[in-house]
Amino acid sequence: MENASVNVTVVGLQWGDEGKGKVVDALSSGCQFVVRFCGGANAGHTVRVGEEKYALHLIPSGILRPGVVNVIANGVAFDPIVALEEIEGLAARGVAVGPENLRISAAAQVVMPWHGLEDRLSEQRLGKGKIGTTARGIGPCYADKARRTTAVRVGELLEADALAAKVHAIAEIKNCTFAALYGAEAMDAEAIIEEFTDIGRQIAPMVANTGAMLRRAVAERVPILFEGGQGSMLDIDHGTYPFVTSSPVAACGVPVGAGVPPSAVGRVVGLVKAYTSRVGAGPFPSEQDNQIGDRLRDRGNEYGTTTGRPRRCGWLDAFAVRYAADLSGAHEIALALLDVLSGFEELRVCTGYRLGGQAVADFDPSQMGDVECVYETLPGWAEDLTAARRFGDLPAEAQQYVAAVEDLLGRPVGFIGVGPDREALIAHHTVLRGVGK
Ligand code: IMP
C-alpha cells in the first residue's frame, strides 16, 4: 500500500484496551503532534515510564514526551472536569501541561453534568438490556452534538454571558425530560454556570482552532500521530451496533474528527492484543467464559482503566481483526501483550465463522451474536517473554504465533509488546524508524 504522508495513525482493531498508550508513547518520539480525534474520557491509555505508571483518559499519550504538542481535536467529547484533574495529576508528578504542549479544539463537544446523569439513568432503566457504558456521558454528549440545539462546544465556555443563557435553556429541557422519564431531581443551573465559567477561564489559554493548526502541519509535512480511542469493533458505524461507543473510532474517523484531509491519515498501525478482551455487553464469539478466560484476565490484569470492571476474555479472533484491519487500511500490526500467553500448553486462534452450519464468507458485525468460531490450534510456550528485546529472543512457538498472525491478517507485524515497560517493545517488520530500538 502506498503511503506518501509522514503521519502515523494508531487505532485499536478489537474492542479497545489493546495497549494503545504504550505504542503511541513509543511512536510519538518522532512526531511533533499527537492528536486524539474520537471518544472522550471513556478511554483509558496506560503509559509506563521507568517505575512510573500514568493512566490517561483524555490527555493524549504524547504528553510524556518533551516537545510534543498534544491536541484534543473537534471529534472528541471533552470532559473538562476529567481533563483538569488529569492536568493537575500530571503537574503533581512533574509533567507541566499548558498551551505549549496541549491544545483543545474550540469545536470539540463539552461533556456537561447532564450527560453523565443521563448515561447512568438510562442504563439503570434499561436493566438487563443495557449497553454497559463507562457512564462517562459519552453517548448523551454525542446525541446532543447531533441534535445541535442542546450542545455546548468548548469555545462557548469562554463567553460567560452567552454560556449562562445557554446553560439555563438546556438545563430547563434536561430537568423536564429527566423528571418525566426517570423521576430525577432538578439540576442546579446556577451552580453549573459558575463551575463551567470558571473552567472556561482555566482552559482558555489552551483553546485553539486545532483544525487550522493541523492542516498547516499537513501542508508543511510536519509529522503528526493520530491516537485512536477504543477499538474498531466499538465504532459507531462499523462495530457491533448497538453495543458500540458513539463516535467513529476506526482510521476512517481521523479526517472528520481532526479536520484534516483523508490523505493525512498516513501509515496506519493497527493495534491488536494477542488475545481478545471486551468490557460491557454485546457479542464476543471467541469469549472463554471459563478457566482459560480467567487465566487471561489474571495474567493480563484485564480490569478497566476507566471503570475497574473485570474484562471478558477469550482467544484472538483473527477473522474479526482482519475485517477491522481492512476497514482502517492498516499497513502494519502492533501485536500487544504477547507475554500474557506464556504458560498455555496450546493456543487457539479464530480463523473464521460458521453460521447455520455454513462457512461465513464476508465478516458482518451484525451477525456476531449468532456465529460459531472455527479455530486453528497452535503450540504454546512456557518461557517468560518480558525480557525479550529482539524477535530472535522469543521461543520458536512464540515466533510461530506471530507468523500465524501475519498470515491470517495479511499484513506484517511491525511491533511486538512483551511487557508493560516502555522498553518491552520489539521492533519486527516495521518500516517506522527509531522505535523500540
Ligand atoms: P461508552 O463509550 O461509555 O458509551 O460505552 C459504550 C461501550 O464501549 C461499552 O461497552 C464500553 O465498555 C465500551 N468502551 C468505551 N470506551 C472503551 C475503552 O476505551 N475501552 C474498552 N471499552 C470501551
Side-chain angles (χ1 to χ4, degrees), residues 3 33 41 46 52 79 86 160 172 202 215 239 266 276 304 324 359 388 391 434:
N3 171 44
F33 294 93
T46 308
E52 297 284 314
D79 186 329
E86 240 167 76
E172 194 182 341
Q202 292 187 60
R215 286 189 296 279
T276 312
F391 189 67

Side-chain angles (χ1 to χ4, degrees), residues 68-332:
V68 170
V69 178
N70 294 271
V71 176
I72 296 176
N74 59 281
V76 171
F78 178 70
D79 186 329
I81 296 174
V82 174
L84 288 171
E85 272 172 19
E86 240 167 76
I87 291 171
E88 248 178 58
L90 284 162
R93 296 169 74 179
V95 183
V97 180
E100 56 298 325
N101 63 351
L102 180 67
R103 292 304 178 93
I104 307 161
S105 169
Q109 295 290 318
V110 181
V111 177
M112 297 296 291
W114 44 78
H115 293 135
L117 181 61
E118 185 177 1
D119 206 352
R120 291 188 293 277
L121 291 170
S122 157
E123 286 280 276
Q124 263 165 30
R125 188 189 175 113
L126 285 166
K128 278 196 166 159
K130 69 181 180 182
I131 307 264
T133 71
T134 59
R136 295 292 187 122
I138 303 298
C141 178
Y142 283 117
D144 275 337
K145 174 183 184 174
R147 193 182 288 116
R148 295 154 293 166
T149 48
T150 46
V152 178
R153 305 213 294 181
V154 167
E156 294 178 277
L157 298 181
L158 313 191
E159 306 286 338
D161 291 343
L163 177 70
K166 193 159 198 184
V167 169
H168 269 301
I170 301 174
E172 194 182 341
I173 298 171
K174 299 291 178 189
N175 281 338
C176 288
T177 315
F178 298 170
L181 279 176
Y182 310 112
E185 271 182 37
M187 290 170 288
D188 179 353
E190 290 303 332
I192 296 173
I193 291 165
E194 198 178 317
E195 183 175 21
F196 280 75
T197 306
D198 181 51
I199 285 171
R201 271 195 290 270
Q202 292 187 60
I203 64 169
M206 293 177 277
V207 176
N209 178 349
T210 60
M213 221 169 84
L214 294 174
R215 286 189 296 279
R216 199 173 312 121
V218 168
E220 292 169 0
R221 293 181 62 77
V222 171
I224 305 172
L225 188 152
F226 296 101
E227 173 180 20
Q230 293 79 48
S232 306
M233 304 310 292
L234 291 170
D235 186 276
I236 179 81
D237 284 281
H238 304 288
T240 52
Y241 195 89
F243 300 102
V244 293
T245 190
S246 303
S247 62
V249 304
C252 322
V254 169
V256 180
V260 295
S263 54
V265 167
R267 189 164 181 89
V268 179
V269 177
L271 238 300
V272 179
K273 186 138 74 175
Y275 50 97
T276 312
S277 71
R278 174 165 205 173
V279 216
F284 178 178
S286 65
E287 181 169 16
Q288 299 297 304
D289 191 9
N290 52 34
Q291 282 180 343
I292 294 170
D294 292 347
R295 187 155 158 195
L296 288 168
R297 187 178 311 105
D298 284 351
R299 287 192 51 90
N301 191 24
E302 293 292 352
Y303 297 88
T305 316
T306 303
T307 59
R309 289 181 289 178
R311 298 178 184 142
R312 300 155 65 192
C313 292
W315 297 122
L316 176 64
D317 184 343
F319 194 53
V321 173
R322 172 102 198 207
Y323 157 79
D326 289 346
L327 176 68
S328 280
H331 297 89
E332 59 182 85

Side-chain angles (χ1 to χ4, degrees), residues 6 11 16 26 70 77 188 248 385:
V6 291
V11 284
N70 294 271
D188 179 353
L385 308 186

